[in-house]
Amino acid sequence: MPIGRGVVMSKLVPHEENLTARYAERAARMVPSEIRSLFAVASRPEIVSLAGGMPNLSALPMEMMADVVKKLILDNGQEALQYGSGQGHPRLREQICEMMALEGIRAKSDDVVITTGSQAALDLITRIFIDPGDVILVEAPSYVGALGVFAQYQSQVVHVAIDDKGLIPAALTEAITKVRAAGGKIKFLYCIPNFQNPSGVTMPASRRTEILDICRESEIFVVEDNPYGLLGFDEAVPNAMRAEDHENVIYLGSFSKTIVPGLRVGWALVPQGVKEKLIIANESSVLCPSNFAQLTISSYLAHEPWRDQIASFCALYKERRDAMLETLDAHFPASATWTKPKGGFYVWVTLPPEIDTKLLVPRAIAAKVAYVPGTAFYADGFGSWQMRLSYCHPTPERIRKGVEALGNVIKEEISRRGGESAKALKN
Ligand code: PMP
């Protein structure tokens, strides 16, 4: 009886509450990042957003990109619009090796697996290696998107201190000793050696060697995440860590910052033993990375002056970095300190410890400027008096305006607190 069956069926359709009660344990760790919740506000046109890390595509000639896409579809649409291989397109994998050679990496294209942005590589590597409770060593602070992945696979993140030269070797050794003494199982060190997100700092070559030595001796492998490496403004960037150690480093790369993020093409360069698992994991997520996106990038690299394009991106970001640093000098209080990035997108600011940068967000928004509070970049709630400022997107004029407004908000808060503590002392 169709009607009777219909009634029974509708009873079986679970209520939304029933569905949420059935989530897997890992779903509890799927929470929006602090950056995501800020985006809606930060994207209002009257707000100067120093929050998001979106690449600035104003320097990219769109007609040229349109020509690349049109030519690709007309000449090779049958392949570009078809499914492809789970490992990624062979020609693009060769071009990736040519690009990585700029960072001293000598690699075979057979060791490259192309992924849907390097974010997907991070997810797949974590899926392959992490059991619930396993420890991942992570810079303090670190990339919010990596922390999200690590949380979802129920790992335990242990932060390792950094200074203006990146990871501190002694702090790494101490963390390894402590975790092991407590019976923890360390799987890998995740680090961003160039123009780190969020701190903007870069590890000098000697530090890289020290960190690699410690990891090798401690039998921990390194996941080197390097989306910003070619965006240096001031001086040559040291070779990638993978250039020095091809056995103990998994290298993640991306075209998001050097070409465009919207095509979602990144990659992992992995030791042979890991490659097969990574391809299978990639296939189970997406069957194959987009052939269309890969071949667009591949044609662009083959026919367009991509090195010059990266140079124009660098010029654009350098001008914005300079505007930010100058305005910080002029308008931030003397009690604040900040990093001086030599490339990439970010400046990391540390305020006096009594200032809570999360509580300050509404006042900054009222003053028409947005930033990301420091706690977003730690797994353990640390960093409440820190903040990340991105200079990649707004114009230099808007950056000056936004940083000045933020400086005023912070100074007001410091003097308000000074007034309050003076009052408390009197009472
Ligand atoms: N790693 C770091 C350090 C990043 O900053 C980002 C993006 N902001 C990614 C990985 C992911 O980049 P994509 O997936 O676009 O390659």
Side-chain angles (χ1 to χ4, degrees), residues 20 55 74 85 95 104 116 134-136 138 172 192 208 214 218 220-221 235 314 332 350 372 390 393:
T20 56
L74 292 179
S85 117
Q95 291 165 306
T116 307
D134 283 350
V135 173
I136 305 176
V138 174
L172 177 61
I192 308 160
R208 296 178 192 223
I214 294 170
S218 314
I220 294 166
F221 69 91
E235 54 197 49
C314 287
F332 262 44
T350 301
V372 186
S390 315
H393 217 262

Side-chain angles (χ1 to χ4, degrees), residues 260-287:
V260 285
L263 287 170
R264 310 299 305 125
V265 182
W267 69 92
L269 171 63
V270 290
Q272 267 295 318
V274 179
K275 186 186 83 178
E276 269 313 307
K277 277 274 183 261
L278 185 55
I279 295 172
I280 294 167
N282 206 17
E283 286 170 347
S284 93
S285 281
V286 294
L287 289 184

